[in-house]
Amino acid sequence: TQLLEQSPQFLSIQEGENLTVYCNSSSVFSSLQWYRQEPGEGPVLLVTVVTGGEVKKLKRLTFQFGDARKDSSLHITAAQPGDTGLYLCAGAIDNYGQNFVFGPGTRLSVLP
Amino acid sequence: NAGVMQNPRHLVRRRGQEARLRCSPMKGHSHVYWYRQLPEEGLKFMVYLQKENIIDESGMPKERFSAEFPKEGPSILRIQQVVRGDSAAYFCASSPRPSTDTQYFGPGTRLTVL
């Protein structure tokens, strides 16, 4: 049983389209992180959200943490081929953040 | 400032051999985390170490797996008597403190057990 679920599992879109991917759990997290991982590489941290209801923007990426701190979404505006990759969310399961739980990821493919 | 270094990047072992994976954290980072990733899956936490101490090994198999982070030198993840099911990508991350917002990942070691 996954502590963190991500949807959709796979997403293939055309360049210029908008998309949203989701990260859901029945557990409350003290913080949640989003990473992007490219083939053959380690995950690269995109953002950390800490406060329920928090919204963070990183250029064309908008991240939202749910009010109850159980879920999060990542919205990409005008997707580009460079956005292609595996998007992982990870939740800190204790207040010290020593132990992160990762979701299975959403594999995004942006076609030119 | 060099990032997290892992070596080797690729490791091939036959069943029953030992695998040693090394991780050098970012300069100034004293907290190291090891994760395992199977194909098409997310990362599974294995162990969290500080210098000379194992803080949390709740994700590590009880047998054949061990980890250390000595006072000097890299952190080592050791897998004894490897089996085919150990084939995976192993990632190391480091942070300057047990923080919830600054884990930096290395490029990973891809272990293949023949």
Side-chain angles (χ1 to χ4, degrees):
Chain A
T1 303
Q2 292 277 1
L3 196 58
L4 267 174
E5 311 229 336
Q6 290 189 245
S7 61
Q9 188 177 358
F10 298 96
L11 184 58
S12 182
I13 61 171
Q14 293 293 135
E15 182 176 2
E17 292 184 359
N18 301 333
L19 68 114
T20 303
V21 298
Y22 301 92
C23 175
N24 297 289
S25 176
S26 57
S27 300
V28 176
F29 295 103
S30 56
S31 70
L32 192 139
Q33 304 184 345
W34 284 93
Y35 292 82
R36 182 170 71 208
Q37 184 180 19
E38 298 188 20
E41 299 297 329
V44 175
L45 180 66
L46 297 175
V47 78
T48 298
V49 286
V50 178
T51 306
E54 182 177 1
V55 176
K56 280 192 175 178
K57 291 195 174 185
L58 185 67
K59 296 183 180 178
R60 295 177 293 101
L61 278 61
T62 302
F63 304 86
Q64 185 163 10
F65 200 13
D67 291 341
R69 290 185 288 133
K70 293 182 179 182
D71 54 83
S72 180
S73 64
L74 159 57
H75 181 80
I76 302 178
T77 304
Q80 299 176 1
D83 296 326
T84 294
L86 178 67
Y87 287 81
L88 297 161
C89 66
I93 60 173
D94 62 47
N95 288 329
Y96 289 104
Q98 297 173 4
N99 191 348
F100 283 86
V101 176
F102 278 79
T106 290
R107 193 166 295 279
L108 172 65
S109 178
V110 182
L111 306 173
Chain B
N1 187 16
V4 178
M5 310 284 284
Q6 288 188 249
N7 68 82
R9 291 293 307 272
H10 300 273
L11 182 61
V12 179
R13 285 287 178 266
R14 296 192 179 280
R15 281 180 296 170
Q17 291 184 320
E18 178 180 286
R20 279 181 172 248
L21 287 62
R22 286 177 289 278
C23 168
S24 296
M26 287 180 71
K27 188 177 180 181
H29 288 194
S30 59
H31 301 263
V32 166
Y33 312 79
W34 285 94
Y35 295 84
R36 177 163 65 179
Q37 186 177 37
L38 294 171
E40 305 301 322
E41 291 189 13
L43 282 79
K44 296 284 191 286
F45 167 79
M46 297 181 73
V47 62
Y48 160 48
L49 310 102
Q50 292 182 28
K51 283 284 186 181
E52 299 185 275
N53 288 304
I54 296 175
I55 306 302
D56 181 352
E57 56 182 348
S58 58
M60 198 135 80
K62 295 287 187 284
E63 296 178 352
R64 303 188 298 107
F65 285 72
S66 62
E68 62 177 11
F69 189 15
K71 187 176 180 181
E72 301 291 337
S75 175
I76 306 285
L77 179 67
R78 182 180 176 207
I79 312 173
Q80 294 178 286
Q81 299 176 324
V82 296
V83 301
R84 288 214 174 111
D86 296 333
S87 295
Y90 292 83
F91 290 95
C92 160
S94 74
S95 67
R97 55 192 173 276
S99 164
T100 59
D101 55 7
T102 50
Q103 276 195 19
Y104 299 90
F105 280 82
T109 293
R110 273 142 194 87
L111 173 65
T112 301
V113 180
L114 302 177

